[in-house]
Amino acid sequence: MISYARQTSEQPQAATPPVEEHIAPAPRVSVQAFCETVETAAAVQAAGEDRRLGKAHLKIQMGGMAAAVEAYRSAPTPNVIVLETDARSDILAGLDQLATVCDAGTRVIVIGRINDVALYRELVRRGVSDYLIAPVTAIDVVRSICNLFSAPEAKAVGRIIAVVGAKGGVGASTIAHNVAWAIARDLAMDSVIADLDLAFGTAGLDYNQDPPQGIADAVFSPDRVDTAFIDRLLSKCTDHLSLLAAPATLDRVYDFGTEAFDAIFDTLRTTMPCIVLDVPHQWSGWSKRALVGADDILIVAAPDLANLRNSKNIFDLLKAARPNDRPPLYCLNQVGVPKRPEINASEFAKAIESEPIASIPFDPQMFGAAANNGQMIAEISANHRATEMFLQIAQRLTGRSESKKPKGSFLSPLIDKLLKK
């Protein structure tokens, strides 16, 4: 029997998932594909360009099962082998040959054209990790490879939401903080808000927190980053919301490499169901990587021409860089400033070819009071229009509805008094 590692489901899956499906990224693994058709090779190539396989090293060859057997006679096998084959007899005979040259622990994904549960079960019995029915799409391949390295019960953990402003001063941080608050309080999801603006971040001020440690301690000590270390850096805001604060000091220069935050994000994914990134308005290798690597993106724009241009540029770039994800979402903020000419939502929708998910009205008194008091809008006015908008944005980004709170009966106060006696 082939000594591949096993992780299977009961039936083969070939359907393309809904865009909201959450697929956890694969770790740094080697993947080699042996294809028989150009169409499958193109799908695997496109999968290799997906953000979730960004850390994987993918190599594609033609020749199918025979080429794989020949290649591994004199070379070690990778972490994952993807094999395309046509005939049923070729699959089983080829796997028997491959077993003689395959290293223990290598996982195998087979792509075939026979939709037969009996065949699938025979493949499972021989240790094949997954069986995909051709023709396959890029997301089929991505899902199959990534699922080899994520436990089924952990799929809901680690959703990253990135919030970025189309222009400086549009209130993206305020939106990010209030949306994270709504996710934690109203949707009852354990969440963390990570302030990535290390020099000028405002998350600590907005949540009325002044932690002695924060994200800078992690980014400047990448060798120490693990679950326990990150947990010590988090500041508790509410029962469900934690803060990874920025130092907001200028005693050092915050120049980072492209992968500077990778270890932090990977660690947060393993412990937090929802991570909200407050991404500063700057364009660098690490900020682009944070946006492209997020599960969902919210662009915040003010209703003027510069914001429209920038929003479209960001939207188009991220849509092209993430072809297997749903497009970024965007909202308009500071709408209705007196005497200011504005570009309305319909013009934004026409240029970006997507409707804004919210248009948040300009209310300097309410937002100013919240900022100066270190509070969220919902804390000052639970019935404010913006409070409801933040909840709606949170629901769109997470795909969750509001958590139902148990209703007490009219006897509850009396019962509580009796219990206290």
Side-chain angles (χ1 to χ4, degrees), residues 9-81:
S9 56
E10 261 309 303
Q11 297 182 13
Q13 299 177 353
T16 300
V19 291
E20 291 82 4
E21 181 187 11
H22 178 58
I23 302 173
R28 298 184 187 278
V29 293
S30 56
V31 182
Q32 292 184 11
F34 293 84
C35 304
E36 291 190 345
T37 65
V38 174
E39 292 77 15
T40 298
V44 176
Q45 180 66 42
E49 296 169 1
D50 187 275
R51 63 178 179 83
R52 285 156 290 210
L53 293 182
K55 295 180 181 179
H57 178 71
L58 175 65
K59 182 180 179 181
I60 302 173
Q61 297 177 237
M62 303 304 290
M65 188 80 72
V69 173
E70 185 62 33
Y72 299 129
R73 292 188 191 280
S74 57
T77 51
N79 300 113
V80 181
I81 301 174

Side-chain angles (χ1 to χ4, degrees), residues 321-374:
R322 307 163 74 253
N324 302 312
D325 293 88
R326 72 170 171 180
L329 304 175
Y330 76 98
C331 71
L332 299 180
N333 191 32
Q334 303 172 352
V335 175
V337 174
K339 298 183 179 180
R340 180 182 71 174
E342 295 183 347
I343 298 175
N344 59 38
S346 63
E347 292 298 321
F348 263 79
K350 182 178 179 181
I352 299 178
E353 299 180 346
S354 176
E355 295 284 343
I357 63 171
S359 293
I360 302 169
F362 179 67
D363 189 343
Q365 184 172 353
M366 179 63 68
F367 281 83
N372 289 337
N373 295 338

Side-chain angles (χ1 to χ4, degrees), residues 261-276:
F261 291 91
D262 283 9
I264 300 172
F265 298 161
D266 289 345
T267 304
L268 287 172
R269 277 186 186 273
T270 64
T271 58
M272 282 289 178
C274 184
I275 303 104
V276 179

Side-chain angles (χ1 to χ4, degrees), residues 23-250:
I23 302 173
R28 298 184 187 278
V29 293
S30 56
V31 182
Q32 292 184 11
F34 293 84
C35 304
E36 291 190 345
T37 65
V38 174
E39 292 77 15
T40 298
V44 176
Q45 180 66 42
E49 296 169 1
D50 187 275
R51 63 178 179 83
R52 285 156 290 210
L53 293 182
K55 295 180 181 179
H57 178 71
L58 175 65
K59 182 180 179 181
I60 302 173
Q61 297 177 237
M62 303 304 290
M65 188 80 72
V69 173
E70 185 62 33
Y72 299 129
R73 292 188 191 280
S74 57
T77 51
N79 300 113
V80 181
I81 301 174
V82 180
L83 297 170
E84 182 185 14
T85 185
D86 283 333
R88 177 173 183 154
S89 59
D90 286 346
I91 297 177
L92 301 180
L95 287 175
D96 289 341
Q97 286 186 309
L98 186 62
T100 64
V101 296
C102 191
D103 298 335
T106 293
R107 304 179 183 191
V108 173
I109 298 170
V110 175
I111 300 173
R113 286 173 169 73
I114 302 171
N115 190 359
D116 183 359
V117 172
L119 170 63
Y120 178 74
R121 289 175 177 168
E122 177 60 25
L123 294 175
V124 169
R125 191 184 69 80
R126 291 171 183 248
V128 168
S129 297
D130 199 4
Y131 178 62
L132 304 179
I133 301 172
V136 295
T137 64
I139 195 65
D140 293 329
V141 179
V142 170
R143 186 198 307 112
S144 182
I145 295 174
C146 290
N147 284 354
L148 296 179
F149 302 96
S150 63
E153 63 273 12
K155 284 188 178 181
V157 175
R159 191 178 195 89
I160 290 183
I161 297 169
V163 182
V164 65
K167 190 170 176 284
V170 298
S173 290
T174 299
I175 302 298
H177 305 162
N178 279 275
V179 168
W181 180 274
I183 292 172
R185 189 194 68 167
D186 299 317
L187 306 185
M189 291 180 68
D190 287 329
S191 307
V192 61
I193 177 84
D195 192 343
L196 303 187
D197 190 351
L198 272 68
F200 304 106
T202 59
L205 296 176
D206 284 354
Y207 290 114
N208 196 24
Q209 300 279 330
D210 187 21
Q213 295 177 299
I215 195 167
D217 298 271
V219 78
F220 285 111
S221 303
D223 55 318
R224 297 178 59 195
V225 173
D226 58 22
T227 302
F229 182 61
I230 292 294
D231 191 57
R232 290 197 298 270
L233 302 181
L234 294 176
S235 175
K236 197 76 170 176
C237 297
T238 69
D239 289 342
H240 291 290
L241 182 63
S242 298
L243 167 65
L244 193 55
T249 58
L250 304 179

